[in-house]
Amino acid sequence: MELARAHVLVCGGTGCTSSGSEKIIKALEDSLKEKNLENEIKVVRTGCFGLCALGPIMIVYPEGVFYSMVTPEDIPEIVEEHFLKGRVVKRLVYKETITEDDGVKSLNDVDFYKNQMRIALRNCGVINPEDIEEYIGYGGYKALGKVLTEMKPQEVIDEIKKSGLRGRGGAGFSTGMKWQFTADAPGDKKFVACNADEGDPGAFMDRSVLEGDPHSLIEAMAIAAYAVGADRGFVYIRAEYPIAVKRLTIAIEQAKEYGLLGNNIFGTDFCFDMELRLGAGAFVCGEETALMTSIEGHRGEPRPRPPFPAVKGLWQKPTLLNNVETYANITAIINNGADWFNKIGTEKSKGTKVFAVGGKINNTGLVEVPMGTTLREVVYDIGGGIPNGKKFKAAQTGGPSGGCIPAHLIDTPIDYDNLTAIGSMMGSGGLIVMDEDTCMVDIAKFFLEFTVDESCGKCTPCRVGTKRLLEILNKITEGKGTLEDIDKLEELCYAIKDSAFCGLGQTAPNPILSTLKYFRDEYIAHVVDKKCPAGVCKALVSYKIDPEKCKGCSLCARNCPVGAISGKIKEPYVIDTDKCIKCGVCESTCKFKAISK
């Protein structure tokens, strides 16, 4: 077999694919063929590299050159200069990787990567997710072989318990204890299942693992099945993840072909098979009992607990359910030992956590850090800070079920207990950063609108209560609210938390409660002053022109879409507030900063 002199890794995750990475791969393959280099340079489609803000991303090894924001038009130059002449195309290189003497840094020396510790994401952006042999080459299925030939089921469970791994889906329950409960439950038929529904706005951690390292899930579910006594598994994945569905389907077929799924795996009497079930995108199906109801073919609605799924889950049989990221840690724990994993993180939150970082931050993307890393480290050391020199105002963790962390708590170590203590939660790992231009009342309304749309309607507190909350928020953001409305808002939040049927309904008020706790002054400003401090809520915004600063250039009038601005050249212009639709075009086009809210 002829070895390639270079490997070109191109991100094939959803983010880069949407930015045109498939066209880049096609252009690269065509250009290499044209130059007779197709046998010397190997093109590898990988999963997400993490630094989504710079996509599409292309990394050339062995040099380690990190090309960012590549377009198909750049490919001929890269092939000609880099692969034929050995000269790096500097204009396309991620600037953080260039050294003072014009050399190229290792990615491990770049701020975004050096402050991370990749366990769940260890193979993402490294291997071809559609090639089982690459996964095996990186130690894949070694853990499964070890547990089937060297360990008893209870020894596997003990190792997971000893590791301290907690569920990464949001609640943070002990993974080992969940496995133990399922193993101890009476019954001759048991199932294992994976929650890959991931419905939180801005969250894409599980999707990225499935797109970049699908075999890690298959191997971990097989290990879990052996430990609890199951022989069949289900992955519940939303249909909006077509790349993840495709790669997981390929991986399952490859595992069957290699004898790693099916009967008598590794020559033992252990038999295990698994299949996919596609969800239609209902947020409530992220709740474990609703997910199982959907797998069974019924409308996705939550069921009473207890009994818990470990006792009565799928088809009333004992069922183990973990999410993708939880499973992604299993093989690393088996291969490296529970003691190794237990030393990472904090006393009560072991290991690492993957976050999908988005919002007002320079380095949007996927990061994995040890538990206990502070929010400041994630936002500034890894995330590169806030764009345009703006101030950090807050960060939302846990999606619609979570809460906002204000600026004065930016040094809070991120783990399950610390986030709960300040009124937020870990959730599945979405982290949305907000700057000084964010209205916190509007943020609460955004998440509540999502919850209202996604409520399954089974219980009155969630079906009706969240609508009443939204009505009050709309009233406040329209300048029609009263101080009594703020009190009603808070009272209703606690009533819903205490009476909603499932965890999603019980946590729906969290974004409101956290913003009331830390940003109550903004609610009061909306009600008393009839003003949105951030200038976001349109009903409370009024644009005006400062006659002292206005030069009478007419640019604002010429750009106003409704003709609300009038005046004479070289004289101050005025805005007709009755006509103004508050679109903000005038403010953004004024060169003299004469227009303000």
Side-chain angles (χ1 to χ4, degrees), residues 9-212:
L9 274 55
V10 184
C11 176
T14 293
C16 285
T17 298
S18 67
S19 300
S21 65
E22 288 299 317
K23 293 179 181 178
I24 291 166
I25 292 171
K26 177 68 166 59
L28 187 57
E29 290 173 341
D30 290 346
S31 189
L32 289 172
K33 190 172 183 180
E34 182 184 321
K35 301 291 184 180
N36 296 316
L37 294 173
E38 67 269 28
N39 294 323
E40 295 183 43
I41 312 296
K42 183 177 180 181
V43 180
V44 181
R45 183 186 285 99
T46 72
C48 180
F49 290 109
L51 195 45
C52 303
L54 298 181
I57 293 172
M58 213 173 90
I59 302 180
V60 181
Y61 289 103
E63 300 95 318
V65 176
F66 187 115
Y67 288 119
S68 64
M69 296 184 177
V70 180
T71 67
E73 291 73 29
D74 296 322
I75 296 302
E77 181 182 1
I78 293 174
V79 171
E80 180 72 26
E81 291 295 312
H82 192 141
F83 300 133
L84 280 176
K85 299 178 181 177
R87 299 192 295 225
V88 173
V89 183
K90 289 288 176 65
R91 69 179 182 84
L92 296 172
V93 176
Y94 173 35
K95 65 181 186 303
E96 297 296 327
T97 64
I98 299 177
T99 62
E100 292 181 3
D101 60 354
D102 259 6
V104 178
K105 285 183 187 177
S106 162
L107 289 183
N108 293 328
D109 296 326
V110 175
D111 287 343
F112 181 82
Y113 290 104
K114 75 180 183 183
N115 292 301
Q116 296 189 48
M117 182 176 186
R118 292 163 77 90
I119 297 176
L121 300 178
R122 60 193 176 277
N123 290 330
C124 293
V126 176
I127 65 172
N128 178 354
E130 297 182 18
D131 187 345
I132 188 173
E133 293 191 359
E134 288 204 16
Y135 179 71
I136 292 172
Y138 274 79
Y141 291 104
K142 177 182 175 183
L144 179 59
K146 178 180 178 180
V147 302
L148 293 184
T149 60
E150 300 177 19
M151 301 174 72
K152 296 177 180 178
Q154 186 58 49
E155 290 175 332
V156 178
I157 295 173
D158 290 342
E159 194 74 1
I160 301 304
K161 284 197 285 190
K162 186 179 178 183
S163 74
L165 176 66
R166 294 170 66 173
R168 299 301 196 242
F173 188 76
S174 166
T175 302
M177 289 305 298
K178 184 180 280 192
W179 289 28
Q180 188 71 68
F181 292 150
T182 311
D184 291 345
D188 57 354
K189 183 70 175 178
K190 297 180 182 180
F191 299 101
V192 294
C194 174
N195 182 351
D197 191 59
E198 195 172 47
D200 289 6
F204 54 95
M205 302 75 57
D206 291 350
R207 185 194 76 199
S208 296
V209 171
L210 294 176
E211 290 176 350

Side-chain angles (χ1 to χ4, degrees), residues 272-422:
F272 176 68
D273 209 346
M274 58 188 290
E275 60 185 274
L276 305 186
R277 290 292 172 92
L278 301 188
F283 180 62
V284 72
C285 287
E287 195 277 337
E288 60 180 8
T289 61
L291 180 152
M292 292 181 186
T293 304
S294 182
I295 287 178
E296 293 170 357
H298 306 295
R299 178 187 171 115
E301 290 183 336
R303 302 195 291 232
R305 298 184 310 170
F308 290 94
V311 177
K312 286 188 177 181
L314 286 168
W315 295 284
Q316 300 298 302
K317 302 296 184 181
T319 303
L320 172 68
L321 176 69
N322 290 124
N323 84 324
V324 175
E325 187 186 341
T326 308
Y327 280 122
N329 285 280
I330 298 300
T331 59
I333 291 171
I334 297 298
N335 285 328
N336 297 299
D339 291 336
W340 163 80
F341 190 83
N342 197 274
K343 292 175 183 175
I344 303 165
T346 63
E347 183 182 355
K348 294 183 179 179
S349 299
K350 303 298 183 180
T352 59
K353 182 72 189 78
V354 181
F355 290 98
V357 182
K360 303 293 183 68
I361 192 166
N362 284 311
N363 295 337
T364 56
L366 208 62
V367 306
E368 184 174 1
V369 293
M371 292 281 194
T373 301
T374 66
L375 182 59
R376 183 187 298 276
E377 290 174 274
V378 174
V379 172
Y380 287 98
D381 296 346
I382 298 173
I386 315 298
N388 305 315
K390 297 283 186 177
K391 293 179 181 177
F392 171 80
K393 185 173 185 176
Q396 170 84 8
T397 64
S401 301
C404 291
I405 305 170
H408 73 272
L409 294 176
I410 194 171
D411 291 309
T412 300
I414 301 174
D415 63 22
Y416 292 101
D417 302 305
N418 280 321
L419 290 183
T420 301
I422 61 176

